Amino acid sequence: MQLLLIDRLTWVRFVGVLKALSASEVGGRAIALFALLILMLFVISGLNVVNSYVGRDFMTAIANRNMAGFIWQAKIYIGVFAASTAVAVLSRFTEESLGLLWREWHTRQLVTRYLADRTYYRMKETGQVENLDERIADDVRALTVTTLSFVLMLLNGIITVVAFSGVMWSISPLLFGVAIVYAICGTLMSIVLGRRLVGLDSRQMDKEANLRATLIHVRENAESIALSHREERLQFLLLRRIRELADNFRRIIAVNRNLGFFTTGYNYLILIIPALVVAPLFIDGEIEFGVIAQSAMAFAQLVGAFSLIVSQFQSISSFTAVVSRLGSLWEGIEDARSSEVLGLEVVKEDECMAYEHVTLKSAENDTLLINDLSVSIPCGTRLLVVGPSEAAKVALFRATAGIWETGGGRILRPSLEKIFFLPERPYLPPGTLRHVLLRSDREGATADDQIIATLRVLNVESVLTRIGGLDVEQDDWASILSLGEQQLLAFTCLLLAAPRFAFLDRPSTALTPEQVDHILKVLSNQSITYIVVGEDGEIIRNYDAVLELAINGGWSWNPVHEGQVIGAGGNSSKEE
């Protein structure tokens, strides 16, 4: 069976998710909704059985030209149909409500785990799982909806078998045996014809996601693409994505065609087989005419219950692919969360920053970047990090932030609430300017006047007028602000957060030397100790020491003397 193609560990995780849902804060409501669904299944099945007998008597009344019986049975027929309709609609509503409840809870769990402890960053670096956004958004939706649908179909099938087996056996034991054999043969044939669909459906989801990701890349980088005239390259890439998507989908269509020939014929035969078996009994006068209609309904219900794999094979293959993809996502998140940086330890220390025998290596080729770095940076010591090795400076910045995983030694630094890391390219999340400038724990504690005053200190107050105020939603800050303005807003956020330490990665990339000089003076005035990754030629009057990183992993610590500058190769000299 296709469902067995999913490995045992994935099923264990899947069952674990169900157990976690039942034990969660919404578990009681979920269990109540599921119990209500089971009750409705029994009611619907009972109404179907009643309907088969009413239909039998209705057709018999017609065959006997019994007008009184016909009218009476017609009224009962309409009543049963009305009750069945009401229960079916309420059952669907309950199923969708339970599906939404499960999806919301499951998505919240995944998003929380994905964003905790920088799991998202580790997963991006390893590349273990592709198209994470689609798996969290679309696959969770498909899982919750399809799982409920299959569970209800399975339970309904079991109830139907129990309810209609007696009816079928009372009509014809032979027809009962034919129904079982017919369903078993149909199930085996469907598996043989459609077993390739699981792998094809999984690949199709990835190829659809790859196409969307490339289109999003074009939208988000429209200006850069237009200026660099890279349309031809992107068109080639998009057309290749479309070709791969279409080729895989053609294979799916071919399998569905072969499967469709069988399932369509299989469903048509369900209409005639009961008549072939039962009609001779009517001709011989052993049964009434209405029994033929009843046998057709009972046969269809029974075969349908036994033939879930035949009737739902394409949905089952898609469901199997979704479970497998989500299994990979669960595994990737667990691996990322449980992974530890062996040898490189980050310890919280609020009063100073220090590196104790820190050695950092390249993750790609194990090249030595920094060898046995041991320095202490007391609170108030302003440090400039320079040197010809860009990789070493990037590694030190990321290792201090806790996102470099190759190396050894000990890094002592304040907690993330008391140290602020500012990357070379600023990140401004979607939302209002207030959300951009304030950490979530300070939004209610920071007055508008303080925000505006800080913007004024950094000469970026004009942004307020341009975007319409502090509380106007923006989705794409890069389309409104220059890179320098974005960096100034990031520094505004730093000043409003008021950390004890700030680690800045090459601020001069987006800002002028005068702007950087002004910002560093503001940081000093607010008693914020800063470490700056800089470039050759930096004026170092705003620093107390210089850490020079050499190409071969070597390093040196040099106190700053008034008037020095950093020249090529990280060597210091007197400022002219």
Side-chain angles (χ1 to χ4, degrees), residues 314-359:
Q314 295 176 4
S315 298
I316 290 174
S317 67
S318 298
F319 170 72
T320 306
V322 165
V323 172
S324 179
R325 284 162 55 82
L326 280 176
S328 300
L329 176 60
W330 294 329
E331 182 179 0
I333 289 178
E334 288 173 7
D335 289 347
R337 284 173 60 85
S338 62
S339 64
E340 296 182 0
V341 184
L342 299 178
L344 188 60
E345 180 184 8
V346 178
V347 180
K348 293 181 182 179
E349 173 56 61
D350 289 342
E351 297 304 321
C352 72
M353 285 185 56
Y355 301 92
E356 298 178 354
H357 305 290
V358 171
T359 296

Side-chain angles (χ1 to χ4, degrees), residues 59 71 82 92 156-157 311 318 405 408 456 484-485 536 538 576:
M59 297 303 295
I71 294 174
R92 181 64 178 174
N156 184 60
S311 61
S318 298
E405 302 191 355
R456 189 178 298 116
E485 288 173 324
D536 293 340
E538 294 272 359
E576 297 298 333

Side-chain angles (χ1 to χ4, degrees), residues 197-448:
L197 275 178
V198 174
L200 290 172
D201 282 337
S202 181
R203 287 193 290 274
Q204 187 68 22
M205 292 176 187
D206 281 332
K207 294 182 186 302
E208 299 274 5
N210 289 338
L211 176 62
R212 284 196 298 271
T214 306
L215 290 170
I216 291 172
H217 172 82
V218 173
R219 184 191 67 196
E220 293 181 344
N221 298 276
E223 182 179 351
S224 299
I225 294 169
L227 293 173
S228 60
H229 303 291
R230 301 292 287 176
E231 296 90 349
E232 185 176 346
R233 170 64 185 143
L234 284 165
Q235 181 181 359
F236 172 80
L237 179 59
L238 280 168
L239 292 178
R240 190 184 74 188
R241 299 280 195 218
I242 295 170
R243 184 173 62 254
E244 292 172 349
L245 180 153
D247 289 344
N248 191 75
F249 200 71
R250 287 190 188 95
R251 299 185 186 97
I252 293 176
I253 292 174
V255 176
N256 284 336
R257 177 200 60 203
N258 299 336
L259 190 61
F261 277 128
F262 172 73
T263 55
T264 303
Y266 180 90
N267 291 328
Y268 279 141
L269 281 176
I270 291 176
L271 302 176
I272 193 172
I273 288 176
L276 294 175
V277 176
V278 178
L281 299 177
F282 171 75
I283 295 172
D284 292 339
E286 297 181 20
I287 61 173
E288 297 177 337
F289 179 74
V291 175
I292 297 177
Q294 185 184 27
S295 68
M297 179 180 180
F299 185 85
Q301 292 281 351
L302 200 59
V303 171
F306 279 124
S307 306
L308 284 178
I309 292 180
V310 179
S311 61
Q312 301 293 328
F313 194 88
Q314 295 176 4
S315 298
I316 290 174
S317 67
S318 298
F319 170 72
T320 306
V322 165
V323 172
S324 179
R325 284 162 55 82
L326 280 176
S328 300
L329 176 60
W330 294 329
E331 182 179 0
I333 289 178
E334 288 173 7
D335 289 347
R337 284 173 60 85
S338 62
S339 64
E340 296 182 0
V341 184
L342 299 178
L344 188 60
E345 180 184 8
V346 178
V347 180
K348 293 181 182 179
E349 173 56 61
D350 289 342
E351 297 304 321
C352 72
M353 285 185 56
Y355 301 92
E356 298 178 354
H357 305 290
V358 171
T359 296
L360 301 179
K361 297 180 180 180
S362 169
E364 290 78 19
N365 52 24
D366 212 34
T367 301
L368 182 64
L369 301 176
I370 298 176
N371 184 34
D372 197 30
L373 174 64
S374 295
V375 297
S376 178
I377 310 169
C379 188
T381 300
R382 303 166 300 172
L383 177 66
L384 174 64
V385 181
V386 296
S389 177
E390 291 296 324
K393 291 186 286 188
V394 170
L396 183 65
F397 179 79
R398 294 182 177 178
T400 308
I403 59 174
W404 190 269
E405 302 191 355
T406 310
R410 232 166 81 123
I411 300 176
L412 284 73
R413 64 158 172 78
S415 62
L416 293 176
E417 292 75 26
K418 296 182 179 180
I419 185 171
F420 197 105
F421 292 92
L422 192 63
E424 179 182 18
R425 187 175 184 85
Y427 169 68
L428 305 182
T432 67
L433 186 59
R434 187 187 306 278
H435 294 153
V436 168
L437 297 179
L438 299 177
R439 288 177 170 175
S440 55
D441 59 339
R442 295 182 62 90
E443 287 185 12
T446 306
D448 290 1

Side-chain angles (χ1 to χ4, degrees), residues 186-197:
T187 297
L188 293 176
M189 196 64 183
S190 294
I191 292 174
V192 171
L193 292 174
R195 63 183 181 274
R196 293 177 55 210
L197 275 178

Side-chain angles (χ1 to χ4, degrees), residues 121-199:
Y121 180 82
R122 296 191 188 97
M123 294 184 73
K124 177 181 179 295
E125 290 296 300
T126 60
Q128 180 181 352
V129 181
E130 296 181 335
N131 304 312
L132 290 162
D133 53 346
E134 185 199 23
R135 298 190 190 215
I136 293 176
D138 294 342
D139 288 357
V140 170
R141 174 186 54 79
L143 175 74
T144 54
V145 172
T146 313
T147 298
L148 276 177
S149 178
F150 284 157
V151 168
L152 293 176
M153 281 191 294
L154 179 61
L155 292 175
N156 184 60
I158 294 172
I159 296 171
T160 300
V161 168
V162 173
F164 279 94
S165 291
V167 176
M168 182 71 72
W169 185 267
S170 67
I171 295 172
S172 170
L174 175 61
L175 187 58
F176 180 77
V178 169
I180 294 176
V181 173
Y182 189 69
I184 292 174
C185 293
T187 297
L188 293 176
M189 196 64 183
S190 294
I191 292 174
V192 171
L193 292 174
R195 63 183 181 274
R196 293 177 55 210
L197 275 178
V198 174

